[in-house]
């Protein structure tokens, strides 16, 4: 009977320390990759086709060490379990199945604690007022219910003074009008991830794939790209690209696993997902945030396959999106005048929210994005292709990370 490439159980975990790239983690999570990858078993070879042999017959190549290549993964994005971190709940006590992948991609993590807005005056503009001294800290993600919209709007705390939290931009309705935080409502916290270029040493990942009568284990894995991809019109996708391993094994005994859903919230959707440039709500679609990791193998002939894991020698990030071209302002399209401003020597605070429910939402923010716009055909209309490179912000000391990502 032929093997079906979809009949494969995929599990992953994180090694116990930054110097562990050879053992199996004690805790594993099941994944269901939507791209149904083929799991390779690469070997290196020394080509001997050019040797002088006298009789000009080819001699066979020399088989060498195990190659590092693994595969690419695409997985659906989920929020936090237990319907999110509500009042008094530390987000670190909740989980989402991609937490370890996100922590490796960004390098920096931060967890907030949920709170409740003031019962009589929850603030206005960029101020959200809690019912007592705020549990939030600078850099925390916040999911706030709007008074007019009745919807949850994601924001990031940039400073805190007693009960008052200053957020990255004022709340808005679906058409970009000013809104305020609703009174006496739970304000949900996030598990947050921020770009940390100096975090060179990370705890590597472990991957296990098991099909019918075969199993492959990949130890000490890191990856070169991570995408938060909202081009699917329904569900948010995480794309993990260029995965490499320190070692792999394909002769392990079958574990015969049974699928067990990991601890996580609900799927994060991509419709009803607003994008803001500074304080203005824009019409946008096909949004992506892309993190690139510069990997360097720790070469050492004493290591398995001549390497001792990998170092991340740099991290950069950019945001891509298609914006509508025109003069509408509820919400905004991009006029030629605005496009000229964006193309100048300026940076823009970019914020994008996905999903609207606690336990099923996320938000990324680039406080100082260098925006480039190019005209494109947008389904028969004019549009602008935006590429925004994430750079260091003026508030970097209090809220580090050229790109920050909050999962609620």
């Amino acid at each position: 009977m032929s093997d079906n490439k979809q009949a494969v159980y995929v599990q992953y975990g994180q090694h116990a320390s930054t110097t562990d790239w050879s053992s199996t983690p004690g805790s594993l999570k099941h994944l269901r990759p939507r791209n149904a990858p083929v799991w390779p078993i690469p070997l290196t070879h020394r080509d001997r086709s050019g040797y002088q042999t006298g009789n000009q017959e080819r001699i066979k190549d020399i088989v060498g060490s195990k190659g590092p290549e693994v595969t690419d993964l695409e997985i659906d994005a989920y929020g936090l379990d237990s319907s999110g971190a509500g009042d008094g709940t530390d987000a670190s006590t909740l989980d989402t199945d991609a937490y370890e992948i996100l922590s490796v991609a960004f390098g920096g993590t931060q967890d907030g604690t949920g709170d409740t807005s003031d019962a009589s005056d929850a603030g206005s503009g960029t101020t959200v007022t809690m019912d007592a001294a705020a549990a939030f800290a600078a850099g925390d993600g916040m999911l706030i219910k709007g008074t007019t919209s009745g919807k949850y709007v994601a924001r990031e705390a940039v400073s805190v003074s007693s009960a008052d939290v200053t957020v990255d931009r004022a709340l808005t309705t679906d058409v970009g009008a000013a809104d305020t935080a609703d009174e006496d409502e739970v304000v949900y916290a996030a598990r947050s991830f921020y770009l940390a270029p100096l975090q060179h040493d990370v705890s590597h990942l472990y991957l296990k794939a098991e099909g019918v009568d075969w199993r492959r284990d990949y130890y000490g894995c890191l990856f070169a790209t991570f995408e938060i991809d909202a081009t699917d019109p329904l569900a948010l996708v995480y794309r993990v690209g260029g995965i490499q391993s320190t070692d792999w094994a394909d002769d392990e005994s079958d574990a015969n696993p049974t699928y067990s859903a990991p601890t996580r919230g609900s799927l994060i959707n991509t419709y009803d997902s607003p994008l803001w440039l500074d304080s203005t709500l824009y019409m946008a679609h096909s949004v992506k945030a892309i993190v690139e990791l510069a990997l360097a193998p720790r070469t050492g002939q004493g290591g398995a396959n001549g390497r001792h894991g990998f170092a991340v020698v740099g991290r950069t990030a950019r945001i891509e999106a298609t914006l509508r071209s025109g003069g509408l302002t509820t919400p905004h399209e991009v006029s030629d005048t605005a496009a000229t401003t964006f193309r100048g020597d300026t940076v823009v605070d970019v914020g994008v929210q996905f999903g609207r429910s606690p336990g099923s939402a996320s938000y990324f923010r680039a406080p100082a994005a260098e925006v480039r716009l190019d005209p494109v055909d947008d389904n028969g209309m004019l549009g602008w292709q935006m590429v925004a490179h994430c750079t260091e912000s003026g508030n970097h000391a209090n809220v580090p990370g050229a790109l920050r990502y909050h999962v609620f």
Side-chain angles (χ1 to χ4, degrees):
M1 175 178 174
S2 300
D3 288 339
N4 187 322
K5 74 170 188 173
Q6 289 182 291
V8 177
Y9 290 101
V10 179
Q11 295 172 273
Y12 93 106
Q14 191 165 25
H15 291 294
S17 71
T18 59
T19 56
D20 178 7
W21 41 78
S22 61
S23 62
T24 302
S27 178
L28 301 179
K29 296 177 178 179
H30 281 270
L31 295 176
R32 285 180 162 172
R34 46 178 261 150
N35 58 324
V38 174
W39 297 87
I41 44 175
L43 292 170
T44 62
H45 297 80
R46 183 200 289 174
D47 183 358
R48 297 202 291 178
S49 60
Y51 278 43
Q52 289 183 327
T53 61
N55 60 3
Q56 287 192 283
E57 295 288 348
R58 175 167 177 160
I59 55 177
K60 74 180 188 68
D61 295 343
I62 297 175
V63 178
S65 61
K66 297 174 182 177
E69 298 82 9
V70 181
T71 186
D72 293 348
L73 290 177
E74 293 180 9
I75 57 174
D76 291 330
Y78 290 82
L80 300 181
D81 70 299
S82 300
S83 299
D87 187 18
T89 300
D90 188 329
S92 68
T93 64
L94 307 182
D95 201 8
T96 182
D97 56 349
Y99 179 83
E100 291 79 4
I101 293 172
L102 288 162
S103 65
V104 168
F106 285 83
T109 63
Q110 179 172 336
D111 297 313
T113 299
D115 209 331
T116 297
S117 62
D118 190 84
S120 59
D121 183 3
S124 62
T126 57
T127 299
V128 179
T129 304
M130 301 296 119
D131 59 353
F136 291 101
D140 286 347
M142 304 170 64
L143 196 61
I144 309 156
K145 190 172 184 179
T147 302
T148 302
S149 70
K151 293 184 176 183
Y152 284 99
V153 181
R155 290 292 182 261
E156 181 177 82
V158 296
S159 65
V160 179
S161 177
S162 188
D164 291 335
V165 182
T166 300
V167 295
D168 52 316
R169 70 200 87 224
L171 276 63
T172 63
T173 66
D174 286 351
V175 295
D179 203 354
T180 60
D182 203 358
E183 287 83 8
D184 199 26
E185 291 284 350
V186 174
V187 180
Y188 291 84
R191 303 206 76 173
S192 302
F193 309 87
Y194 61 90
L195 202 67
L198 290 179
Q199 189 62 43
H200 301 153
D201 297 321
V202 298
S203 295
H204 293 50
L205 301 178
Y206 161 90
L207 287 161
K208 179 172 77 171
E210 182 169 333
V212 179
D213 298 326
W214 62 267
R215 170 182 162 188
R216 291 166 195 162
D217 292 18
Y218 301 87
Y219 301 90
C221 298
L222 287 184
F223 48 85
T225 60
F226 176 76
E227 296 184 12
I228 303 166
D229 188 345
T231 55
D232 186 304
L234 293 178
L236 191 66
V237 172
Y238 296 146
R239 185 170 290 110
V240 187
I243 303 174
Q244 298 190 65
S245 70
T246 302
D247 195 9
W248 53 261
D250 70 332
D251 57 354
E252 303 286 87
S253 299
D254 291 348
N256 298 314
T258 299
Y259 176 78
S260 175
T263 303
R264 63 189 181 192
S266 300
L267 276 169
I268 300 174
N269 66 51
T270 55
Y271 53 89
D272 195 13
S273 295
L275 175 147
W276 295 268
L277 301 181
D278 290 333
S279 59
T280 303
L281 179 67
Y282 280 87
M283 296 185 192
H285 64 85
S286 303
V287 182
K288 288 183 183 180
I290 302 167
V291 178
E292 294 186 334
L293 294 80
L295 297 186
R298 289 194 182 93
T299 305
Q301 290 179 330
N305 306 299
R307 50 190 178 272
H308 299 266
F310 301 85
V312 182
V313 297
R315 285 181 176 85
T316 58
R318 69 182 186 274
I319 297 166
E320 298 179 357
T322 301
L323 308 179
R324 295 288 302 276
S325 175
L328 293 178
T329 58
T330 53
H332 278 63
E333 294 178 319
V334 179
S335 65
D336 278 344
T337 301
T340 299
T341 301
F342 289 141
R343 287 198 302 269
D345 185 16
T346 185
V347 294
V348 177
D349 191 324
V350 180
V352 184
Q353 177 178 347
F354 307 105
R356 291 286 193 170
S357 301
S360 181
S362 65
Y363 178 67
F364 68 68
R365 179 192 177 214
E370 185 182 28
V371 171
R372 311 286 172 83
L373 294 178
D374 286 308
V376 293
D377 182 329
D378 183 12
N379 196 28
M381 294 172 285
L382 287 177
W384 297 98
Q385 179 62 37
M386 181 186 81
V387 178
H389 294 277
C390 305
T391 68
E392 183 180 15
S393 73
N395 194 34
H396 210 77
N398 295 324
V399 184
L403 178 68
R404 303 178 58 81
Y405 185 54
H406 309 283
V407 180
F408 300 97

